[in-house]
Amino acid sequence: MDSVVSDASAVSDADTGSPTVTGIPAQPQAPAADLFRRDATASAATASATAGPDAEDGAQDWQLDHTRAPIATKIVVAGGFGVGKTTFVRAVSEITPLQTEALMTRASEETDDLTATPDKLTTTVAMDFGRITLDNDLVLYVFGTPGQQRFWFMWDDLVRGAIGAIVLADTRRLTDCFPALDYFESCGLPYIVAVNHFEGTELFEADDVREALTVPADVPVVIMDARKRYSVVESLLAMVAHALEHTPE
């Protein structure tokens, strides 16, 4: 009789779902309601982490609309040495621009002419990079090329995928932008000429610059100041409009 009662007790303990291991006390099981509550909390946290930006966080309309995506385009800024390409990118970029500047040394005295820019201490040795959002769904990535001839081998990589280029010109040394003009004409990439007007220099009309550079009539020539953001934005808009005329698709 005692054996039967002992067996029944063993079966009863097994049915409770809390097995007892020798030396380790059985752990109490959480109620089903608590388990459901924890699962719901974890699901809510996961959903919050994967959710998109909120309008209250200052998100743009296209960021809240999952059916739309911004159009990312690439524009190259080229020109001669010391013409203002780095200043151009720095003035317009809405992010901290990427700059690959190196101090100028005596080793470049015979190749880098500082007559027009005697205060220049650094030079771009790879590229400049910045970004600007022109519209809710139009983002421009701006790449500045190095100006010295010894770095021209990188132009092919920097230009790949660009919709157009801006050739910066300095009226004191217009011949410095001829290599950039020849390059973009030979590769068929749409471009405009932006004359960076430096203080203390004579201001020329766009038509005079066009004639001096023998630029085709369909290529826009604009007068701008690379230090001023609104002037740089106007140049970018002119570039985008020109590129759309040549490649509307």
Side-chain angles (χ1 to χ4, degrees):
M1 184 66 177
D2 293 340
S3 176
V4 173
V5 173
S6 177
D7 292 342
S9 299
V11 172
S12 177
D13 291 341
D15 292 340
T16 61
S18 301
T20 301
V21 180
T22 304
I24 302 178
Q27 300 298 319
Q29 296 295 320
D34 291 341
L35 293 176
F36 177 79
R37 188 178 299 108
R38 287 201 297 267
D39 291 342
T41 302
S43 299
T46 303
S48 176
T50 57
D54 192 352
E56 296 181 356
D57 297 333
Q60 301 293 329
D61 293 340
W62 57 266
Q63 291 177 301
L64 302 176
D65 187 353
H66 298 291
T67 64
R68 298 172 56 190
I71 300 174
T73 57
K74 178 180 180 180
I75 285 182
V76 175
V77 182
F81 168 72
V83 77
K85 299 180 294 297
T86 299
T87 303
F88 184 104
V89 176
R90 185 190 302 122
V92 77
S93 180
E94 63 193 12
I95 62 174
T96 301
L98 169 65
Q99 299 175 351
T100 56
E101 297 244 305
L103 289 174
M104 302 186 65
T105 64
R106 295 183 180 275
S108 65
E109 286 182 344
E110 297 182 359
T111 56
D112 296 334
D113 185 8
L114 297 177
T115 303
T117 55
D119 297 330
K120 187 174 178 60
L121 300 177
T122 61
T123 183
T124 301
V125 296
M127 68 173 184
D128 299 307
F129 171 76
R131 185 193 70 193
I132 177 175
T133 303
L134 289 182
D135 200 355
N136 286 341
D137 52 2
L138 178 58
V139 179
L140 293 185
Y141 294 103
V142 185
F143 288 77
T145 65
Q148 295 96 321
Q149 183 176 358
R150 58 185 178 275
F151 298 126
W152 286 356
F153 68 92
M154 291 184 288
W155 282 28
D156 290 339
D157 293 328
L158 293 176
V159 170
R160 186 176 294 113
I163 65 169
I166 296 178
V167 178
L168 287 185
D170 182 355
T171 55
R172 297 171 296 181
R173 43 202 174 101
L174 284 177
T175 55
D176 289 355
C177 67
F178 283 156
L181 295 175
D182 293 340
Y183 180 86
F184 296 122
E185 287 179 357
S186 63
C187 67
L189 188 69
Y191 70 92
I192 70 169
V193 176
V195 180
N196 187 17
H197 178 61
F198 288 81
E199 291 183 357
T201 63
E202 184 177 356
L203 179 61
F204 293 91
E205 297 294 332
D207 291 338
D208 296 333
V209 177
R210 181 190 305 279
E211 182 178 356
L213 295 176
T214 63
V215 174
D218 63 326
V219 175
V221 177
V222 299
I223 310 297
M224 51 83 67
D225 188 337
R227 300 168 302 175
K228 300 179 179 178
R229 179 181 175 85
Y230 75 87
S231 182
V232 176
V233 170
E234 290 176 351
S235 301
L236 291 172
L237 290 174
M239 174 65 258
V240 172
H242 183 59
L244 287 175
E245 292 178 359
H246 281 72
T247 54
E249 67 276 5

